[in-house]
Amino acid sequence: MAALTGRDIVCFSNDWDGDPLSKTHIMRILARDNRVLWVNSLGNRAPRATTADAARIWKKLRDAARGLTEPERNLHVLAPLYVPAYGLAAVRRLNRALLRLQVRAAMQRLGFGRPISWSFLPSAAAVAGTLGEALVVYHVVDEFSAFSDASAHVAELEARLLRRADLVIASSERLLAAKRLINPRAVLVRHGVDHAHFARALDPSLPVPAPLAALPRPVIGFFGLVADWIDLPLVRQVADAYPQASVVLLGKVITSTAPLDGARNVHLLGRRPYQELPAWCRGFDVAITPFRRNELALAANPLKAREYVAAGLPNVCTDLPELRQVPGCTVTRTPEEFVAAVGRALRAGGPDPARSALVRAEGWEAKVDELRAHVEAAERGAVPARIQAVPG
């Protein structure tokens, strides 16, 4: 049987109905030739007494009540019930039993046998390697223990998952080096891009959204989660340096925006659906990727960098190792360099088909072909047999 064709895959990842991430793109392509059971996020931290976390818990309960769903052909979604607390050993044992019971019941209902478990989250350590798998894959895309709100147990869970994996896939060189210290069966597969989707920004008939079209030009744009890893003081420096420009941030805000207070040319326009992003990109003159240089960012491979380039936009970035590998990006070492590079990009201005072509070969289909090759090698025995799952 060919690797990753006609197989059953149990995928532990973020919630299916969130914004499309690397996991979504990969599993959608794999679902063309395989059956996928997508297990919604188990979380990496305990909830806090906040309105946002209360709403998240309520949504989890609603999703679980719907049972197993099939939002797309061959892609089945399970929203498991679990106790969102990691500090107590008894709770962790309960969660392990609950999760395994629910996943096995879904597998039985779907007729899954000898699946590949494909985990994107450390919390999958609770059951990965206990489902009668033919192969255990850990696909690591972030340094999870570096998130500011991560549970203290995330590193322990990840180490357990790394030891159990037949194959570890890392999305950045920094992650690869770190995870190989625990499991040498690790390979590098960088993120891809939905090139055809974002290249729609080059279509002159695509209308720019009204809220953006109404703003003064030029437009310096960003889309993505506005979180504590985004360098908002740097964004403020850009806004102050180019007061005639509009600085537009699209995305859910989950951190303090105090550094932007009083900046009249900064516009926080909220989260916009993925399908609309090319139209917003069409209205940008320059894109920015202003990440803080902390441990989380240094290990990251930001999806948006290739998406901006696919849209034909000049993309000015802070100096992260993986951004140096993205053609069409201007990587800067200091805030002053960043601000100056934005000015040069503004003079060049706007979406450019030649720039978009730089990442055409980096589509998700090409990345999935790399993944197929690595899975095939693992199943041929090119890597040692799996270390047996350890209770805990």
PDB file of all heavy atoms in Angstrom, residues 92 96 125-126 155-165 182 390-392:
ATOM      1  N   ARG A  92      -5.287  14.219  34.995  1.00  0.00           N
ATOM      2  CA  ARG A  92      -4.613  13.796  33.768  1.00  0.00           C
ATOM      3  C   ARG A  92      -4.963  12.348  33.435  1.00  0.00           C
ATOM      4  O   ARG A  92      -5.154  12.000  32.266  1.00  0.00           O
ATOM      5  CB  ARG A  92      -3.098  13.969  33.904  1.00  0.00           C
ATOM      6  CG  ARG A  92      -2.672  15.428  34.029  1.00  0.00           C
ATOM      7  CD  ARG A  92      -1.203  15.625  33.696  1.00  0.00           C
ATOM      8  NE  ARG A  92      -0.306  14.916  34.596  1.00  0.00           N
ATOM      9  CZ  ARG A  92       0.128  15.387  35.755  1.00  0.00           C
ATOM     10  NH1 ARG A  92      -0.280  16.586  36.176  1.00  0.00           N
ATOM     11  NH2 ARG A  92       0.963  14.699  36.506  1.00  0.00           N
ATOM     12  N   ARG A  96      -6.968  11.133  30.099  1.00  0.00           N
ATOM     13  CA  ARG A  96      -6.413  10.106  29.217  1.00  0.00           C
ATOM     14  C   ARG A  96      -7.460   9.031  28.937  1.00  0.00           C
ATOM     15  O   ARG A  96      -7.646   8.620  27.783  1.00  0.00           O
ATOM     16  CB  ARG A  96      -5.162   9.497  29.851  1.00  0.00           C
ATOM     17  CG  ARG A  96      -4.453   8.510  28.951  1.00  0.00           C
ATOM     18  CD  ARG A  96      -3.029   8.244  29.420  1.00  0.00           C
ATOM     19  NE  ARG A  96      -2.961   7.770  30.794  1.00  0.00           N
ATOM     20  CZ  ARG A  96      -2.469   8.472  31.820  1.00  0.00           C
ATOM     21  NH1 ARG A  96      -1.998   9.683  31.642  1.00  0.00           N
ATOM     22  NH2 ARG A  96      -2.426   7.961  33.044  1.00  0.00           N
ATOM     23  N   ALA A 125      -0.278  13.589  23.681  1.00  0.00           N
ATOM     24  CA  ALA A 125       0.512  12.565  24.361  1.00  0.00           C
ATOM     25  C   ALA A 125      -0.336  11.671  25.241  1.00  0.00           C
ATOM     26  O   ALA A 125       0.051  10.546  25.561  1.00  0.00           O
ATOM     27  CB  ALA A 125       1.621  13.217  25.207  1.00  0.00           C
ATOM     28  N   ALA A 126      -1.518  12.151  25.625  1.00  0.00           N
ATOM     29  CA  ALA A 126      -2.401  11.350  26.476  1.00  0.00           C
ATOM     30  C   ALA A 126      -2.791  10.031  25.825  1.00  0.00           C
ATOM     31  O   ALA A 126      -2.988   9.031  26.526  1.00  0.00           O
ATOM     32  CB  ALA A 126      -3.663  12.166  26.806  1.00  0.00           C
ATOM     33  N   ALA A 155       5.823  21.011  28.476  1.00  0.00           N
ATOM     34  CA  ALA A 155       7.128  20.441  28.118  1.00  0.00           C
ATOM     35  C   ALA A 155       7.177  18.950  28.426  1.00  0.00           C
ATOM     36  O   ALA A 155       7.727  18.150  27.650  1.00  0.00           O
ATOM     37  CB  ALA A 155       8.243  21.181  28.848  1.00  0.00           C
ATOM     38  N   GLU A 156       6.593  18.551  29.547  1.00  0.00           N
ATOM     39  CA  GLU A 156       6.564  17.133  29.929  1.00  0.00           C
ATOM     40  C   GLU A 156       5.730  16.327  28.929  1.00  0.00           C
ATOM     41  O   GLU A 156       6.131  15.226  28.504  1.00  0.00           O
ATOM     42  CB  GLU A 156       5.970  17.016  31.332  1.00  0.00           C
ATOM     43  CG  GLU A 156       5.714  15.606  31.809  1.00  0.00           C
ATOM     44  CD  GLU A 156       4.850  15.568  33.067  1.00  0.00           C
ATOM     45  OE1 GLU A 156       4.789  16.583  33.798  1.00  0.00           O
ATOM     46  OE2 GLU A 156       4.229  14.516  33.302  1.00  0.00           O
ATOM     47  N   LEU A 157       4.562  16.865  28.555  1.00  0.00           N
ATOM     48  CA  LEU A 157       3.710  16.183  27.591  1.00  0.00           C
ATOM     49  C   LEU A 157       4.421  16.051  26.245  1.00  0.00           C
ATOM     50  O   LEU A 157       4.383  14.988  25.606  1.00  0.00           O
ATOM     51  CB  LEU A 157       2.399  16.955  27.403  1.00  0.00           C
ATOM     52  CG  LEU A 157       1.413  16.911  28.558  1.00  0.00           C
ATOM     53  CD1 LEU A 157       0.301  17.944  28.356  1.00  0.00           C
ATOM     54  CD2 LEU A 157       0.806  15.517  28.699  1.00  0.00           C
ATOM     55  N   GLU A 158       5.079  17.122  25.815  1.00  0.00           N
ATOM     56  CA  GLU A 158       5.752  17.066  24.526  1.00  0.00           C
ATOM     57  C   GLU A 158       6.896  16.054  24.541  1.00  0.00           C
ATOM     58  O   GLU A 158       7.084  15.304  23.566  1.00  0.00           O
ATOM     59  CB  GLU A 158       6.278  18.442  24.130  1.00  0.00           C
ATOM     60  CG  GLU A 158       6.913  18.403  22.743  1.00  0.00           C
ATOM     61  CD  GLU A 158       7.435  19.740  22.285  1.00  0.00           C
ATOM     62  OE1 GLU A 158       8.337  20.276  22.957  1.00  0.00           O
ATOM     63  OE2 GLU A 158       6.958  20.236  21.257  1.00  0.00           O
ATOM     64  N   ALA A 159       7.657  16.011  25.623  1.00  0.00           N
ATOM     65  CA  ALA A 159       8.763  15.047  25.699  1.00  0.00           C
ATOM     66  C   ALA A 159       8.233  13.622  25.591  1.00  0.00           C
ATOM     67  O   ALA A 159       8.837  12.765  24.931  1.00  0.00           O
ATOM     68  CB  ALA A 159       9.536  15.248  27.002  1.00  0.00           C
ATOM     69  N   ARG A 160       7.092  13.366  26.219  1.00  0.00           N
ATOM     70  CA  ARG A 160       6.496  12.030  26.150  1.00  0.00           C
ATOM     71  C   ARG A 160       6.074  11.708  24.722  1.00  0.00           C
ATOM     72  O   ARG A 160       6.309  10.603  24.213  1.00  0.00           O
ATOM     73  CB  ARG A 160       5.294  11.963  27.096  1.00  0.00           C
ATOM     74  CG  ARG A 160       4.712  10.568  27.265  1.00  0.00           C
ATOM     75  CD  ARG A 160       3.557  10.588  28.238  1.00  0.00           C
ATOM     76  NE  ARG A 160       3.945  11.207  29.494  1.00  0.00           N
ATOM     77  CZ  ARG A 160       3.140  11.940  30.247  1.00  0.00           C
ATOM     78  NH1 ARG A 160       1.890  12.154  29.854  1.00  0.00           N
ATOM     79  NH2 ARG A 160       3.555  12.436  31.389  1.00  0.00           N
ATOM     80  N   LEU A 161       5.471  12.690  24.052  1.00  0.00           N
ATOM     81  CA  LEU A 161       5.030  12.483  22.674  1.00  0.00           C
ATOM     82  C   LEU A 161       6.227  12.288  21.744  1.00  0.00           C
ATOM     83  O   LEU A 161       6.210  11.438  20.840  1.00  0.00           O
ATOM     84  CB  LEU A 161       4.189  13.677  22.222  1.00  0.00           C
ATOM     85  CG  LEU A 161       3.550  13.610  20.839  1.00  0.00           C
ATOM     86  CD1 LEU A 161       2.720  12.350  20.664  1.00  0.00           C
ATOM     87  CD2 LEU A 161       2.696  14.849  20.597  1.00  0.00           C
ATOM     88  N   LEU A 162       7.279  13.044  21.963  1.00  0.00           N
ATOM     89  CA  LEU A 162       8.491  12.888  21.152  1.00  0.00           C
ATOM     90  C   LEU A 162       9.083  11.494  21.293  1.00  0.00           C
ATOM     91  O   LEU A 162       9.522  10.881  20.311  1.00  0.00           O
ATOM     92  CB  LEU A 162       9.527  13.940  21.563  1.00  0.00           C
ATOM     93  CG  LEU A 162       9.299  15.355  21.037  1.00  0.00           C
ATOM     94  CD1 LEU A 162      10.155  16.357  21.813  1.00  0.00           C
ATOM     95  CD2 LEU A 162       9.625  15.422  19.546  1.00  0.00           C
ATOM     96  N   ARG A 163       9.096  10.968  22.512  1.00  0.00           N
ATOM     97  CA  ARG A 163       9.659   9.629  22.721  1.00  0.00           C
ATOM     98  C   ARG A 163       8.821   8.551  22.052  1.00  0.00           C
ATOM     99  O   ARG A 163       9.339   7.507  21.654  1.00  0.00           O
ATOM    100  CB  ARG A 163       9.801   9.345  24.222  1.00  0.00           C
ATOM    101  CG  ARG A 163      10.897  10.152  24.903  1.00  0.00           C
ATOM    102  CD  ARG A 163      11.200   9.612  26.284  1.00  0.00           C
ATOM    103  NE  ARG A 163      10.067   9.739  27.182  1.00  0.00           N
ATOM    104  CZ  ARG A 163       9.841  10.777  27.980  1.00  0.00           C
ATOM    105  NH1 ARG A 163      10.679  11.810  27.970  1.00  0.00           N
ATOM    106  NH2 ARG A 163       8.793  10.811  28.772  1.00  0.00           N
ATOM    107  N   ARG A 164       7.513   8.787  21.939  1.00  0.00           N
ATOM    108  CA  ARG A 164       6.633   7.786  21.345  1.00  0.00           C
ATOM    109  C   ARG A 164       6.625   7.814  19.821  1.00  0.00           C
ATOM    110  O   ARG A 164       6.174   6.860  19.183  1.00  0.00           O
ATOM    111  CB  ARG A 164       5.198   8.018  21.833  1.00  0.00           C
ATOM    112  CG  ARG A 164       5.005   7.712  23.298  1.00  0.00           C
ATOM    113  CD  ARG A 164       3.610   8.076  23.734  1.00  0.00           C
ATOM    114  NE  ARG A 164       3.405   7.725  25.139  1.00  0.00           N
ATOM    115  CZ  ARG A 164       2.331   8.031  25.835  1.00  0.00           C
ATOM    116  NH1 ARG A 164       1.369   8.721  25.263  1.00  0.00           N
ATOM    117  NH2 ARG A 164       2.220   7.669  27.091  1.00  0.00           N
ATOM    118  N   ALA A 165       7.053   8.898  19.214  1.00  0.00           N
ATOM    119  CA  ALA A 165       6.863   9.097  17.778  1.00  0.00           C
ATOM    120  C   ALA A 165       7.810   8.250  16.935  1.00  0.00           C
ATOM    121  O   ALA A 165       8.995   8.131  17.229  1.00  0.00           O
ATOM    122  CB  ALA A 165       7.036  10.577  17.444  1.00  0.00           C
ATOM    123  N   ILE A 182      15.729  14.815  21.678  1.00  0.00           N
ATOM    124  CA  ILE A 182      14.938  13.755  22.308  1.00  0.00           C
ATOM    125  C   ILE A 182      14.678  12.615  21.337  1.00  0.00           C
ATOM    126  O   ILE A 182      14.718  11.447  21.715  1.00  0.00           O
ATOM    127  CB  ILE A 182      13.605  14.325  22.847  1.00  0.00           C
ATOM    128  CG1 ILE A 182      13.880  15.364  23.947  1.00  0.00           C
ATOM    129  CG2 ILE A 182      12.705  13.206  23.382  1.00  0.00           C
ATOM    130  CD1 ILE A 182      12.640  16.016  24.495  1.00  0.00           C
ATOM    131  N   VAL A 390       4.785   4.986  27.157  1.00  0.00           N
ATOM    132  CA  VAL A 390       5.067   4.894  28.588  1.00  0.00           C
ATOM    133  C   VAL A 390       3.878   5.458  29.352  1.00  0.00           C
ATOM    134  O   VAL A 390       3.414   6.543  29.055  1.00  0.00           O
ATOM    135  CB  VAL A 390       6.352   5.690  28.946  1.00  0.00           C
ATOM    136  CG1 VAL A 390       6.634   5.594  30.429  1.00  0.00           C
ATOM    137  CG2 VAL A 390       7.517   5.201  28.125  1.00  0.00           C
ATOM    138  N   PRO A 391       3.328   4.731  30.345  1.00  0.00           N
ATOM    139  CA  PRO A 391       2.213   5.284  31.116  1.00  0.00           C
ATOM    140  C   PRO A 391       2.607   6.586  31.765  1.00  0.00           C
ATOM    141  O   PRO A 391       3.748   6.802  32.135  1.00  0.00           O
ATOM    142  CB  PRO A 391       1.930   4.197  32.157  1.00  0.00           C
ATOM    143  CG  PRO A 391       2.542   2.950  31.592  1.00  0.00           C
ATOM    144  CD  PRO A 391       3.733   3.386  30.805  1.00  0.00           C
ATOM    145  N   GLY A 392       1.617   7.478  31.897  1.00  0.00           N
ATOM    146  CA  GLY A 392       1.881   8.738  32.589  1.00  0.00           C
ATOM    147  C   GLY A 392       1.121   9.861  31.983  1.00  0.00           C
ATOM    148  O   GLY A 392       0.520   9.758  30.962  1.00  0.00           O
TER     149      GLY A 392
END
